[in-house]
Amino acid sequence: MRRQEIIFELKKYFKIYELVGKYTYRIHKDRAWKFFSTESLEMLLIIRKNIDRPMTINTWFWGGKFSQRGLRSNLSTIFKRMFSLGKLYLSAHVLGEGFDFDVEGMTAPEVRQWVKENAFLFPMKVRLERLKKGKQINWVHADVMHEEKNPKIYEFDV
């Protein structure tokens, strides 16, 4: 699928403000699609179309609490915190390569299991975050950060 086709299909499921933060949206509006890699958009489309259930990424546009689950800019609180600590922050979110999300009617472990069982649908490698400080996370983080050594579907812990 070409990039324009992927974006056209994604627009059936998501508005760009669901994928970016408020500062990015205020400045770039619908042009903010340019900040995502084609692979990350294709990964998101494959999950959304094939799971066939609503997904929640960012909710800030409607006054919700989620604003950093898609693209993160240098104005996001996570970015600022890492910068103030003098730490390098090059996450998949900053690079337009990953998303955090919930799938309606499914737990995060169920979604991760679905991705693993349907690896054949993905033409790219997919990384799934599993544990944070030894505890199961209750959202899904999926990205396309490619490391040659990783298997097609790779679970990692932070």
mmCIF file of all heavy atoms in Angstrom, residues 107-143:
data_model
loop_
_atom_site.group_PDB
_atom_site.id
_atom_site.type_symbol
_atom_site.label_atom_id
_atom_site.label_comp_id
_atom_site.label_asym_id
_atom_site.label_seq_id
_atom_site.Cartn_x
_atom_site.Cartn_y
_atom_site.Cartn_z
ATOM 1 N N THR A 107 -8.501 -6.558 26.568
ATOM 2 C CA THR A 107 -7.440 -6.163 27.489
ATOM 3 C C THR A 107 -6.144 -5.989 26.696
ATOM 4 O O THR A 107 -6.016 -6.505 25.580
ATOM 5 C CB THR A 107 -7.219 -7.219 28.576
ATOM 6 O OG1 THR A 107 -6.720 -8.417 27.962
ATOM 7 C CG2 THR A 107 -8.505 -7.501 29.356
ATOM 8 N N ALA A 108 -5.186 -5.296 27.282
ATOM 9 C CA ALA A 108 -3.885 -5.120 26.622
ATOM 10 C C ALA A 108 -3.217 -6.466 26.323
ATOM 11 O O ALA A 108 -2.718 -6.666 25.214
ATOM 12 C CB ALA A 108 -2.988 -4.214 27.451
ATOM 13 N N PRO A 109 -3.193 -7.423 27.273
ATOM 14 C CA PRO A 109 -2.605 -8.730 26.946
ATOM 15 C C PRO A 109 -3.322 -9.436 25.786
ATOM 16 O O PRO A 109 -2.680 -10.091 24.963
ATOM 17 C CB PRO A 109 -2.734 -9.528 28.244
ATOM 18 C CG PRO A 109 -2.763 -8.498 29.321
ATOM 19 C CD PRO A 109 -3.511 -7.334 28.705
ATOM 20 N N GLU A 110 -4.641 -9.276 25.699
ATOM 21 C CA GLU A 110 -5.381 -9.883 24.583
ATOM 22 C C GLU A 110 -4.979 -9.260 23.257
ATOM 23 O O GLU A 110 -4.840 -9.970 22.251
ATOM 24 C CB GLU A 110 -6.889 -9.723 24.787
ATOM 25 C CG GLU A 110 -7.460 -10.579 25.888
ATOM 26 C CD GLU A 110 -8.902 -10.254 26.226
ATOM 27 O OE1 GLU A 110 -9.383 -9.124 25.948
ATOM 28 O OE2 GLU A 110 -9.564 -11.145 26.793
ATOM 29 N N VAL A 111 -4.787 -7.959 23.232
ATOM 30 C CA VAL A 111 -4.370 -7.287 21.989
ATOM 31 C C VAL A 111 -2.961 -7.725 21.606
ATOM 32 O O VAL A 111 -2.694 -8.037 20.441
ATOM 33 C CB VAL A 111 -4.451 -5.750 22.113
ATOM 34 C CG1 VAL A 111 -3.910 -5.073 20.853
ATOM 35 C CG2 VAL A 111 -5.885 -5.299 22.405
ATOM 36 N N ARG A 112 -2.052 -7.768 22.582
ATOM 37 C CA ARG A 112 -0.687 -8.217 22.276
ATOM 38 C C ARG A 112 -0.703 -9.648 21.743
ATOM 39 O O ARG A 112 0.016 -9.972 20.788
ATOM 40 C CB ARG A 112 0.205 -8.074 23.510
ATOM 41 C CG ARG A 112 0.571 -6.625 23.823
ATOM 42 C CD ARG A 112 1.652 -6.516 24.878
ATOM 43 N NE ARG A 112 1.186 -6.812 26.217
ATOM 44 C CZ ARG A 112 0.606 -5.934 27.029
ATOM 45 N NH1 ARG A 112 0.419 -4.688 26.640
ATOM 46 N NH2 ARG A 112 0.236 -6.290 28.240
ATOM 47 N N GLN A 113 -1.509 -10.492 22.323
ATOM 48 C CA GLN A 113 -1.632 -11.873 21.852
ATOM 49 C C GLN A 113 -2.179 -11.904 20.425
ATOM 50 O O GLN A 113 -1.710 -12.669 19.585
ATOM 51 C CB GLN A 113 -2.532 -12.693 22.791
ATOM 52 C CG GLN A 113 -2.614 -14.164 22.437
ATOM 53 C CD GLN A 113 -1.265 -14.865 22.520
ATOM 54 O OE1 GLN A 113 -0.443 -14.582 23.395
ATOM 55 N NE2 GLN A 113 -1.008 -15.774 21.586
ATOM 56 N N TRP A 114 -3.163 -11.056 20.142
ATOM 57 C CA TRP A 114 -3.722 -10.970 18.794
ATOM 58 C C TRP A 114 -2.635 -10.586 17.784
ATOM 59 O O TRP A 114 -2.543 -11.183 16.708
ATOM 60 C CB TRP A 114 -4.882 -9.960 18.752
ATOM 61 C CG TRP A 114 -5.501 -9.870 17.397
ATOM 62 C CD1 TRP A 114 -6.556 -10.586 16.922
ATOM 63 C CD2 TRP A 114 -5.063 -9.047 16.309
ATOM 64 N NE1 TRP A 114 -6.803 -10.257 15.613
ATOM 65 C CE2 TRP A 114 -5.896 -9.311 15.212
ATOM 66 C CE3 TRP A 114 -4.041 -8.102 16.157
ATOM 67 C CZ2 TRP A 114 -5.750 -8.673 13.980
ATOM 68 C CZ3 TRP A 114 -3.888 -7.471 14.929
ATOM 69 C CH2 TRP A 114 -4.734 -7.748 13.852
ATOM 70 N N VAL A 115 -1.815 -9.594 18.138
ATOM 71 C CA VAL A 115 -0.728 -9.173 17.236
ATOM 72 C C VAL A 115 0.221 -10.341 16.982
ATOM 73 O O VAL A 115 0.605 -10.611 15.844
ATOM 74 C CB VAL A 115 0.022 -7.941 17.788
ATOM 75 C CG1 VAL A 115 1.269 -7.640 16.964
ATOM 76 C CG2 VAL A 115 -0.900 -6.718 17.831
ATOM 77 N N LYS A 116 0.595 -11.046 18.036
ATOM 78 C CA LYS A 116 1.512 -12.189 17.882
ATOM 79 C C LYS A 116 0.894 -13.276 16.999
ATOM 80 O O LYS A 116 1.567 -13.813 16.121
ATOM 81 C CB LYS A 116 1.899 -12.764 19.247
ATOM 82 C CG LYS A 116 2.804 -11.827 20.044
ATOM 83 C CD LYS A 116 3.326 -12.454 21.307
ATOM 84 C CE LYS A 116 2.260 -12.512 22.366
ATOM 85 N NZ LYS A 116 2.753 -12.959 23.671
ATOM 86 N N GLU A 117 -0.368 -13.571 17.209
ATOM 87 C CA GLU A 117 -1.029 -14.611 16.424
ATOM 88 C C GLU A 117 -1.252 -14.218 14.970
ATOM 89 O O GLU A 117 -1.443 -15.077 14.107
ATOM 90 C CB GLU A 117 -2.382 -14.974 17.058
ATOM 91 C CG GLU A 117 -2.253 -15.710 18.374
ATOM 92 C CD GLU A 117 -3.575 -15.889 19.098
ATOM 93 O OE1 GLU A 117 -4.633 -15.432 18.588
ATOM 94 O OE2 GLU A 117 -3.554 -16.482 20.194
ATOM 95 N N ASN A 118 -1.238 -12.928 14.704
ATOM 96 C CA ASN A 118 -1.484 -12.421 13.357
ATOM 97 C C ASN A 118 -0.251 -11.753 12.757
ATOM 98 O O ASN A 118 -0.373 -10.860 11.910
ATOM 99 C CB ASN A 118 -2.677 -11.456 13.385
ATOM 100 C CG ASN A 118 -3.968 -12.188 13.653
ATOM 101 O OD1 ASN A 118 -4.556 -12.760 12.745
ATOM 102 N ND2 ASN A 118 -4.386 -12.210 14.906
ATOM 103 N N ALA A 119 0.903 -12.205 13.154
ATOM 104 C CA ALA A 119 2.166 -11.643 12.663
ATOM 105 C C ALA A 119 2.230 -11.629 11.139
ATOM 106 O O ALA A 119 2.822 -10.733 10.539
ATOM 107 C CB ALA A 119 3.350 -12.420 13.239
ATOM 108 N N PHE A 120 1.595 -12.595 10.516
ATOM 109 C CA PHE A 120 1.620 -12.712 9.058
ATOM 110 C C PHE A 120 0.981 -11.504 8.364
ATOM 111 O O PHE A 120 1.244 -11.244 7.184
ATOM 112 C CB PHE A 120 0.916 -14.008 8.613
ATOM 113 C CG PHE A 120 -0.548 -14.043 8.941
ATOM 114 C CD1 PHE A 120 -1.491 -13.606 8.010
ATOM 115 C CD2 PHE A 120 -0.997 -14.489 10.172
ATOM 116 C CE1 PHE A 120 -2.853 -13.633 8.312
ATOM 117 C CE2 PHE A 120 -2.346 -14.530 10.483
ATOM 118 C CZ PHE A 120 -3.282 -14.088 9.544
ATOM 119 N N LEU A 121 0.140 -10.743 9.063
ATOM 120 C CA LEU A 121 -0.504 -9.562 8.481
ATOM 121 C C LEU A 121 0.445 -8.380 8.334
ATOM 122 O O LEU A 121 0.189 -7.478 7.538
ATOM 123 C CB LEU A 121 -1.684 -9.118 9.353
ATOM 124 C CG LEU A 121 -2.876 -10.052 9.460
ATOM 125 C CD1 LEU A 121 -3.862 -9.522 10.511
ATOM 126 C CD2 LEU A 121 -3.561 -10.210 8.112
ATOM 127 N N PHE A 122 1.517 -8.390 9.110
ATOM 128 C CA PHE A 122 2.410 -7.231 9.185
ATOM 129 C C PHE A 122 3.615 -7.415 8.275
ATOM 130 O O PHE A 122 4.386 -8.352 8.454
ATOM 131 C CB PHE A 122 2.883 -7.025 10.631
ATOM 132 C CG PHE A 122 1.773 -6.744 11.589
ATOM 133 C CD1 PHE A 122 1.136 -7.779 12.273
ATOM 134 C CD2 PHE A 122 1.334 -5.451 11.809
ATOM 135 C CE1 PHE A 122 0.100 -7.534 13.156
ATOM 136 C CE2 PHE A 122 0.290 -5.190 12.695
ATOM 137 C CZ PHE A 122 -0.335 -6.231 13.360
ATOM 138 N N PRO A 123 3.823 -6.508 7.320
ATOM 139 C CA PRO A 123 5.010 -6.598 6.467
ATOM 140 C C PRO A 123 6.271 -6.051 7.143
ATOM 141 O O PRO A 123 7.352 -6.082 6.563
ATOM 142 C CB PRO A 123 4.636 -5.758 5.245
ATOM 143 C CG PRO A 123 3.642 -4.776 5.756
ATOM 144 C CD PRO A 123 2.907 -5.463 6.882
ATOM 145 N N MET A 124 6.116 -5.556 8.359
ATOM 146 C CA MET A 124 7.232 -4.979 9.106
ATOM 147 C C MET A 124 7.354 -5.673 10.455
ATOM 148 O O MET A 124 6.451 -6.377 10.879
ATOM 149 C CB MET A 124 7.018 -3.469 9.322
ATOM 150 C CG MET A 124 5.957 -3.103 10.347
ATOM 151 S SD MET A 124 4.222 -3.417 9.874
ATOM 152 C CE MET A 124 3.951 -2.156 8.653
ATOM 153 N N LYS A 125 8.496 -5.436 11.124
ATOM 154 C CA LYS A 125 8.656 -5.901 12.494
ATOM 155 C C LYS A 125 7.858 -4.981 13.410
ATOM 156 O O LYS A 125 7.775 -3.770 13.173
ATOM 157 C CB LYS A 125 10.134 -5.872 12.904
ATOM 158 C CG LYS A 125 10.968 -6.922 12.206
ATOM 159 C CD LYS A 125 12.384 -6.911 12.737
ATOM 160 C CE LYS A 125 13.187 -8.033 12.103
ATOM 161 N NZ LYS A 125 14.476 -8.211 12.768
ATOM 162 N N VAL A 126 7.292 -5.570 14.465
ATOM 163 C CA VAL A 126 6.501 -4.801 15.428
ATOM 164 C C VAL A 126 7.033 -5.088 16.822
ATOM 165 O O VAL A 126 7.253 -6.243 17.182
ATOM 166 C CB VAL A 126 5.002 -5.191 15.357
ATOM 167 C CG1 VAL A 126 4.197 -4.455 16.427
ATOM 168 C CG2 VAL A 126 4.441 -4.903 13.966
ATOM 169 N N ARG A 127 7.243 -4.009 17.582
ATOM 170 C CA ARG A 127 7.647 -4.145 18.986
ATOM 171 C C ARG A 127 6.446 -3.847 19.868
ATOM 172 O O ARG A 127 5.713 -2.897 19.618
ATOM 173 C CB ARG A 127 8.766 -3.158 19.328
ATOM 174 C CG ARG A 127 10.060 -3.435 18.639
ATOM 175 C CD ARG A 127 11.205 -2.506 19.044
ATOM 176 N NE ARG A 127 10.808 -1.270 19.696
ATOM 177 C CZ ARG A 127 11.409 -0.737 20.761
ATOM 178 N NH1 ARG A 127 12.460 -1.316 21.306
ATOM 179 N NH2 ARG A 127 10.995 0.403 21.274
ATOM 180 N N LEU A 128 6.278 -4.666 20.901
ATOM 181 C CA LEU A 128 5.182 -4.497 21.854
ATOM 182 C C LEU A 128 5.763 -4.367 23.248
ATOM 183 O O LEU A 128 6.489 -5.250 23.699
ATOM 184 C CB LEU A 128 4.253 -5.715 21.808
ATOM 185 C CG LEU A 128 3.564 -6.005 20.483
ATOM 186 C CD1 LEU A 128 2.930 -7.387 20.514
ATOM 187 C CD2 LEU A 128 2.532 -4.937 20.165
ATOM 188 N N GLU A 129 5.431 -3.277 23.924
ATOM 189 C CA GLU A 129 5.859 -3.122 25.318
ATOM 190 C C GLU A 129 4.960 -3.993 26.189
ATOM 191 O O GLU A 129 3.742 -4.022 26.004
ATOM 192 C CB GLU A 129 5.735 -1.655 25.732
ATOM 193 C CG GLU A 129 6.281 -1.359 27.096
ATOM 194 C CD GLU A 129 6.218 0.122 27.445
ATOM 195 O OE1 GLU A 129 6.078 0.968 26.534
ATOM 196 O OE2 GLU A 129 6.286 0.424 28.640
ATOM 197 N N ARG A 130 5.575 -4.692 27.131
ATOM 198 C CA ARG A 130 4.838 -5.650 27.955
ATOM 199 C C ARG A 130 4.821 -5.245 29.427
ATOM 200 O O ARG A 130 3.774 -5.105 30.021
ATOM 201 C CB ARG A 130 5.456 -7.029 27.767
ATOM 202 C CG ARG A 130 4.824 -8.134 28.539
ATOM 203 C CD ARG A 130 5.533 -9.446 28.300
ATOM 204 N NE ARG A 130 6.969 -9.255 28.458
ATOM 205 C CZ ARG A 130 7.891 -10.099 28.052
ATOM 206 N NH1 ARG A 130 7.564 -11.208 27.454
ATOM 207 N NH2 ARG A 130 9.168 -9.845 28.223
ATOM 208 N N LEU A 131 5.997 -5.086 30.020
ATOM 209 C CA LEU A 131 6.106 -4.780 31.444
ATOM 210 C C LEU A 131 6.780 -3.434 31.651
ATOM 211 O O LEU A 131 7.697 -3.068 30.920
ATOM 212 C CB LEU A 131 6.937 -5.847 32.167
ATOM 213 C CG LEU A 131 6.485 -7.301 32.073
ATOM 214 C CD1 LEU A 131 7.499 -8.207 32.769
ATOM 215 C CD2 LEU A 131 5.108 -7.492 32.672
ATOM 216 N N LYS A 132 6.330 -2.726 32.683
ATOM 217 C CA LYS A 132 6.988 -1.480 33.095
ATOM 218 C C LYS A 132 7.351 -1.660 34.559
ATOM 219 O O LYS A 132 6.464 -1.867 35.393
ATOM 220 C CB LYS A 132 6.064 -0.285 32.902
ATOM 221 C CG LYS A 132 6.732 1.036 33.198
ATOM 222 C CD LYS A 132 5.832 2.200 32.830
ATOM 223 C CE LYS A 132 6.571 3.495 33.070
ATOM 224 N NZ LYS A 132 5.760 4.645 32.667
ATOM 225 N N LYS A 133 8.632 -1.633 34.840
ATOM 226 C CA LYS A 133 9.144 -1.858 36.196
ATOM 227 C C LYS A 133 8.611 -3.173 36.767
ATOM 228 O O LYS A 133 8.211 -3.256 37.918
ATOM 229 C CB LYS A 133 8.816 -0.676 37.105
ATOM 230 C CG LYS A 133 9.463 0.614 36.648
ATOM 231 C CD LYS A 133 9.152 1.764 37.573
ATOM 232 C CE LYS A 133 9.801 3.026 37.041
ATOM 233 N NZ LYS A 133 9.472 4.194 37.844
ATOM 234 N N GLY A 134 8.561 -4.194 35.915
ATOM 235 C CA GLY A 134 8.162 -5.527 36.334
ATOM 236 C C GLY A 134 6.670 -5.780 36.415
ATOM 237 O O GLY A 134 6.245 -6.882 36.728
ATOM 238 N N LYS A 135 5.852 -4.762 36.106
ATOM 239 C CA LYS A 135 4.399 -4.933 36.172
ATOM 240 C C LYS A 135 3.789 -4.816 34.780
ATOM 241 O O LYS A 135 4.199 -3.983 33.979
ATOM 242 C CB LYS A 135 3.781 -3.882 37.092
ATOM 243 C CG LYS A 135 4.244 -4.039 38.522
ATOM 244 C CD LYS A 135 3.508 -3.130 39.448
ATOM 245 C CE LYS A 135 4.145 -3.311 40.804
ATOM 246 N NZ LYS A 135 3.389 -3.137 41.907
ATOM 247 N N GLN A 136 2.790 -5.668 34.529
ATOM 248 C CA GLN A 136 2.068 -5.660 33.260
ATOM 249 C C GLN A 136 1.424 -4.283 33.040
ATOM 250 O O GLN A 136 0.768 -3.761 33.941
ATOM 251 C CB GLN A 136 0.988 -6.741 33.294
ATOM 252 C CG GLN A 136 0.217 -6.886 32.031
ATOM 253 C CD GLN A 136 0.767 -7.954 31.120
ATOM 254 O OE1 GLN A 136 0.859 -7.734 29.932
ATOM 255 N NE2 GLN A 136 1.154 -9.092 31.643
ATOM 256 N N ILE A 137 1.623 -3.701 31.872
ATOM 257 C CA ILE A 137 0.968 -2.425 31.581
ATOM 258 C C ILE A 137 -0.445 -2.706 31.075
ATOM 259 O O ILE A 137 -0.706 -3.748 30.473
ATOM 260 C CB ILE A 137 1.776 -1.563 30.590
ATOM 261 C CG1 ILE A 137 1.993 -2.279 29.255
ATOM 262 C CG2 ILE A 137 3.093 -1.135 31.194
ATOM 263 C CD1 ILE A 137 2.586 -1.408 28.173
ATOM 264 N N ASN A 138 -1.350 -1.776 31.333
ATOM 265 C CA ASN A 138 -2.747 -2.002 30.972
ATOM 266 C C ASN A 138 -3.159 -1.264 29.704
ATOM 267 O O ASN A 138 -4.336 -1.027 29.471
ATOM 268 C CB ASN A 138 -3.677 -1.643 32.145
ATOM 269 C CG ASN A 138 -3.598 -0.181 32.517
ATOM 270 O OD1 ASN A 138 -2.827 0.582 31.928
ATOM 271 N ND2 ASN A 138 -4.384 0.229 33.487
ATOM 272 N N TRP A 139 -2.199 -0.878 28.899
ATOM 273 C CA TRP A 139 -2.438 -0.307 27.581
ATOM 274 C C TRP A 139 -1.522 -1.046 26.616
ATOM 275 O O TRP A 139 -0.650 -1.795 27.026
ATOM 276 C CB TRP A 139 -2.156 1.198 27.562
ATOM 277 C CG TRP A 139 -0.710 1.536 27.745
ATOM 278 C CD1 TRP A 139 0.238 1.645 26.759
ATOM 279 C CD2 TRP A 139 -0.021 1.775 28.972
ATOM 280 N NE1 TRP A 139 1.458 1.949 27.304
ATOM 281 C CE2 TRP A 139 1.327 2.032 28.669
ATOM 282 C CE3 TRP A 139 -0.423 1.808 30.309
ATOM 283 C CZ2 TRP A 139 2.281 2.312 29.645
ATOM 284 C CZ3 TRP A 139 0.530 2.074 31.271
ATOM 285 C CH2 TRP A 139 1.854 2.328 30.940
ATOM 286 N N VAL A 140 -1.725 -0.799 25.344
ATOM 287 C CA VAL A 140 -0.869 -1.410 24.331
ATOM 288 C C VAL A 140 0.077 -0.344 23.799
ATOM 289 O O VAL A 140 -0.355 0.743 23.430
ATOM 290 C CB VAL A 140 -1.702 -1.991 23.166
ATOM 291 C CG1 VAL A 140 -0.787 -2.589 22.101
ATOM 292 C CG2 VAL A 140 -2.689 -3.022 23.673
ATOM 293 N N HIS A 141 1.361 -0.663 23.789
ATOM 294 C CA HIS A 141 2.340 0.153 23.083
ATOM 295 C C HIS A 141 2.808 -0.710 21.928
ATOM 296 O O HIS A 141 3.279 -1.832 22.125
ATOM 297 C CB HIS A 141 3.547 0.517 23.961
ATOM 298 C CG HIS A 141 4.668 1.089 23.141
ATOM 299 N ND1 HIS A 141 4.801 2.444 22.932
ATOM 300 C CD2 HIS A 141 5.656 0.494 22.438
ATOM 301 C CE1 HIS A 141 5.857 2.640 22.125
ATOM 302 N NE2 HIS A 141 6.377 1.469 21.823
ATOM 303 N N ALA A 142 2.670 -0.181 20.717
ATOM 304 C CA ALA A 142 3.158 -0.881 19.527
ATOM 305 C C ALA A 142 3.976 0.105 18.710
ATOM 306 O O ALA A 142 3.586 1.262 18.540
ATOM 307 C CB ALA A 142 1.998 -1.426 18.692
ATOM 308 N N ASP A 143 5.126 -0.352 18.233
ATOM 309 C CA ASP A 143 5.956 0.511 17.388
ATOM 310 C C ASP A 143 6.676 -0.306 16.334
ATOM 311 O O ASP A 143 6.643 -1.540 16.353
ATOM 312 C CB ASP A 143 6.910 1.362 18.232
ATOM 313 C CG ASP A 143 8.060 0.593 18.865
ATOM 314 O OD1 ASP A 143 8.780 -0.132 18.145
ATOM 315 O OD2 ASP A 143 8.265 0.733 20.081
#
